[in-house]
Amino acid sequence: AGRKGGHKGRARQYTSPEEIDAQLQAEKQKAREEEEQEEGGEGATGDPKKEKKSLDSDESDEDDENYQQKRKGVEGLIDIENPNRVIQTTKKVTQLDLDGPKELSRREREEIEKQKAKERYMKMHLAGKTEQAKADLARLAIIRKQREEAARKKEEERKAKDEAAMAGRRLQSLSLNK
């Protein structure tokens, strides 16, 4: 009961090794014919140049192009023209130009602008030219006046207490002398 059978009662079909070899040969032949058609007149006439190129290992340009054109699955059969599809080109370390101006992303640009705006605002703020700075300075001036008045009142109260204490001591000393 726990044993799983084949797929939906269909009889199994086994491909013989001879058939597999025949299919591989057919695919290779088809690929060769397509390459000859792509290359155009040069390769089709049986030019010795073409044969030499395939034998030479120095000619790596063609190998690179074929490697990039190899695609997965159905992609090779359907010609896609997608303007948004970026084909990655590998650069050698010697080709990279680190000195050139680096393209910033939108997020990085906005971050830099925000930083500069903040710096400008702080400069203006310290110079006392922004609305907030003016309000702060006015508030500080009012508080300073209030504190000065409070200090003056305290000083007067302290003097009054001292005088009262002095007067009280005089009275005590007078009463003791009698």
Side-chain angles (χ1 to χ4, degrees), residues 2-50:
R3 212 182 77 189
K4 287 191 177 179
H7 186 63
K8 306 218 177 179
R10 203 184 303 151
R12 290 198 182 104
Q13 292 182 337
Y14 297 105
T15 314
S16 66
E18 291 85 22
E19 283 182 54
I20 293 173
D21 289 340
Q23 285 176 352
L24 287 173
Q25 290 294 329
E27 284 177 15
K28 284 181 185 175
Q29 185 65 31
K30 198 175 188 181
R32 258 191 239 120
E33 287 171 5
E34 285 178 6
E35 278 182 27
E36 286 174 10
Q37 286 175 355
E38 284 177 12
E39 288 183 11
E42 292 177 12
T45 57
D47 240 3
K49 287 181 190 173
K50 191 216 172 215

Side-chain angles (χ1 to χ4, degrees), residues 126-160:
L126 291 172
K129 292 180 181 175
T130 61
E131 293 295 318
Q132 192 179 355
K134 288 175 185 171
D136 287 348
L137 291 172
R139 200 177 317 114
L140 286 172
I142 292 169
I143 291 170
R144 198 175 295 125
K145 282 181 187 171
Q146 287 174 346
R147 285 186 182 159
E148 285 172 5
E149 287 174 16
R152 197 178 309 119
K153 281 183 184 173
K154 248 186 196 170
E155 189 68 30
E156 288 172 6
E157 285 175 12
R158 196 173 53 80
K159 282 183 183 173

Side-chain angles (χ1 to χ4, degrees), residues 100-167:
K102 189 179 154 212
E103 284 294 313
L104 298 174
S105 69
R106 177 183 58 82
R107 203 172 268 156
E108 288 171 327
R109 266 199 313 272
E110 287 176 359
E111 194 67 33
I112 290 170
E113 285 173 18
K114 199 186 287 181
Q115 210 96 45
K116 284 182 181 173
K118 205 177 257 184
E119 286 174 21
R120 276 198 303 270
Y121 180 79
M122 286 309 291
K123 261 187 197 169
M124 295 283 283
H125 190 72
L126 291 172
K129 292 180 181 175
T130 61
E131 293 295 318
Q132 192 179 355
K134 288 175 185 171
D136 287 348
L137 291 172
R139 200 177 317 114
L140 286 172
I142 292 169
I143 291 170
R144 198 175 295 125
K145 282 181 187 171
Q146 287 174 346
R147 285 186 182 159
E148 285 172 5
E149 287 174 16
R152 197 178 309 119
K153 281 183 184 173
K154 248 186 196 170
E155 189 68 30
E156 288 172 6
E157 285 175 12
R158 196 173 53 80
K159 282 183 183 173
K161 273 188 184 174
D162 285 348
E163 286 175 13
M166 290 295 277

